[in-house]
Amino acid sequence: MFHFTATVTCLAILFYFFTTIRVGKARSTFGIKAPTISGNPDFERVFRVQMNTLEWMPIFLPSLWLFAIYISDPIAAVLGLVWIAGRILYMTGYSQAANKRGLGFGIQALAAFALLLGALGAIVWRLIHA
Amino acid sequence: MFHFTATVTCLAILFYFFTTIRVGKARSTFGIKAPTISGNPDFERVFRVQMNTLEWMPIFLPSLWLFAIYISDPIAAVLGLVWIAGRILYMTGYSQAANKRGLGFGIQALAAFALLLGALGAIVWRLIHA
Amino acid sequence: MFHFTATVTCLAILFYFFTTIRVGKARSTFGIKAPTISGNPDFERVFRVQMNTLEWMPIFLPSLWLFAIYISDPIAAVLGLVWIAGRILYMTGYSQAANKRGLGFGIQALAAFALLLGALGAIVWRLIHA
């Protein structure tokens, strides 16, 4: 069973949902009416945090589960928590200034690639030894 | 087996695909050439329906499946149908005016959170009782 | 087991990640600073390749896996490779001009719909015969 990975999946979705709520709040704070998404840099940075998190979901979630299935449920979950921590850093940094988004971005990218390349390695190993 | 949830997954994807087709049609109706995505509010509302549906797919699909696996295939499928119904209301409302998107949005958000929080509760319960 | 489909999933994610890297490169090439995403058509086409690939991920990945589970792992993997090939054509075409994106788009759409409708057919067949 994959209880740890399932838990981290729910936490990642809750974090992602939180980034979408911030966009709604930023709309009212900066007076940006839907459907407008550009024009105000302060709003755009909050919007880009959500978008970038969305952009990484199809990298993160399938990699997380393939890693869990092919390697280990608890290790996948730990790497998933690192990914969420990197995402939180990215969000708090980018909200202040565009050039403060690097550290969090790097951490979440490393965690996601550890999951993806670990899973790919394990899958290819199984294919060869099957 | 998860035949009901699998069916609803296909229906949700077909609905989402329909929202992407509407963007293509709106491009020709309002004369917005690719790659432009902003400038005309009538086009932007159609575009935002697709984008918002995309934004909710990584919330909805994993929650749907975790609920199906940890709780019940048919109940997950029913909540999934409610989500699609809310999405359709959101699409028809938002296409008319930005302030008519609330009801459908609320319904689909409730369905998605019933799936997510239900699944999370069941996962944590299993973790504790394992 | 689904080793072939799992491999193609990793390849699709790697390709998608490559389209996000191209956006970062295009930012520096065309001098478009984050969080801006519009204003320069050359940048916008590179950005739209990534966005469109992202937009198709929730159509492609669930369809690929439902097809693999309900019909066949190797056939799903072959259709998945066709999808990636269509996506590569779409990327190289769109990068040159907006009207050169049609062929690759058509190929990846056909592959995705073969996966989606094949899976849906097999699921409904099982529901009826269960």
Side-chain angles (χ1 to χ4, degrees), chain A residues 1, chain B residues 1-9 60-80 114-116 118-120 122-123 126:
Chain A
M1 291 302 289
Chain B
M1 293 300 289
F2 303 99
H3 298 331
F4 293 114
T5 299
T7 306
V8 169
T9 299
F60 172 66
L61 284 180
S63 303
L64 177 76
W65 280 91
L66 289 175
F67 192 101
I69 292 165
Y70 278 88
I71 300 182
S72 151
D73 177 38
I75 299 175
V78 168
L79 286 168
L115 290 166
L116 177 60
L120 183 56
I123 294 161
R126 294 272 190 98

Side-chain angles (χ1 to χ4, degrees), chain A residues 1-4 6-7 9-10 13-14 16-17 27 34-38 47 50-51 54 57 61 65, chain B residues 37 41 44-45 48 51 54-56 58-59 62-63 66 70 94 98 101 113 116-117 120 123 126-127:
Chain A
M1 291 302 289
F2 303 98
H3 298 333
F4 293 114
T7 306
T9 300
C10 292
I13 294 172
L14 282 171
Y16 166 63
F17 179 70
R27 280 203 185 282
T36 306
I37 54 170
S38 55
F47 179 71
Q50 182 216 342
M51 277 305 299
L54 172 63
M57 291 296 266
L61 284 180
W65 280 89
Chain B
I37 53 170
E44 282 182 30
R45 289 203 314 280
R48 285 300 306 161
M51 277 306 299
L54 171 64
E55 286 163 22
W56 278 77
I59 298 176
S63 303
L66 289 175
Y70 278 88
Y94 205 166
R101 71 193 199 277
F113 273 84
L116 177 60
L117 299 181
L120 183 56
I123 294 161
R126 294 272 190 98
L127 267 176

Side-chain angles (χ1 to χ4, degrees), chain B residues 20-96:
Chain B
T20 73
I21 289 178
R22 291 174 79 242
V23 174
K25 279 194 183 168
R27 280 203 184 281
S28 63
T29 305
F30 303 116
I32 313 289
K33 278 196 180 156
T36 306
I37 53 170
S38 56
N40 180 319
D42 290 321
F43 172 76
E44 282 182 30
R45 289 203 314 280
V46 174
F47 180 71
R48 285 300 306 161
V49 167
Q50 182 216 340
M51 277 306 299
N52 191 273
T53 308
L54 171 64
E55 286 163 22
W56 278 77
M57 291 296 267
I59 298 176
F60 172 66
L61 284 180
S63 303
L64 177 76
W65 280 91
L66 289 175
F67 192 101
I69 292 165
Y70 278 88
I71 300 182
S72 151
D73 177 38
I75 299 175
V78 168
L79 286 168
L81 289 176
V82 173
W83 185 81
I84 295 172
R87 279 279 137 196
I88 292 171
L89 259 182
Y90 171 83
M91 176 183 70
T92 53
Y94 205 166
S95 303
Q96 292 166 33

Side-chain angles (χ1 to χ4, degrees), chain C:
Chain C
M1 293 300 290
F2 303 98
H3 298 331
F4 293 114
T5 299
T7 306
V8 169
T9 299
C10 292
L11 294 179
I13 293 172
L14 283 170
F15 169 72
Y16 165 62
F17 179 69
F18 178 69
T19 69
T20 72
I21 287 178
R22 290 174 79 245
V23 175
K25 279 194 183 168
R27 280 202 185 280
S28 62
T29 305
F30 303 116
I32 313 289
K33 278 197 181 154
T36 305
I37 54 170
S38 55
N40 180 319
D42 290 320
F43 172 76
E44 282 181 29
R45 290 203 314 280
V46 174
F47 180 70
R48 284 302 305 162
V49 167
Q50 182 216 340
M51 278 305 299
N52 191 274
T53 307
L54 171 63
E55 286 163 23
W56 278 78
M57 292 295 268
I59 298 176
F60 172 67
L61 284 180
S63 303
L64 176 76
W65 279 90
L66 289 174
F67 191 101
I69 293 164
Y70 278 89
I71 299 182
S72 152
D73 176 37
I75 300 176
V78 168
L79 286 169
L81 289 175
V82 173
W83 185 81
I84 294 172
R87 278 280 138 196
I88 292 171
L89 259 182
Y90 171 83
M91 176 183 71
T92 53
Y94 206 167
S95 302
Q96 292 167 33
N99 61 13
K100 286 190 181 175
R101 71 193 198 278
L103 179 64
F105 189 85
I107 290 169
Q108 65 87 35
L110 278 176
F113 273 84
L115 289 166
L116 177 60
L117 300 180
L120 184 57
I123 294 161
V124 171
W125 196 89
R126 293 271 190 100
L127 266 177
I128 292 167
H129 293 255

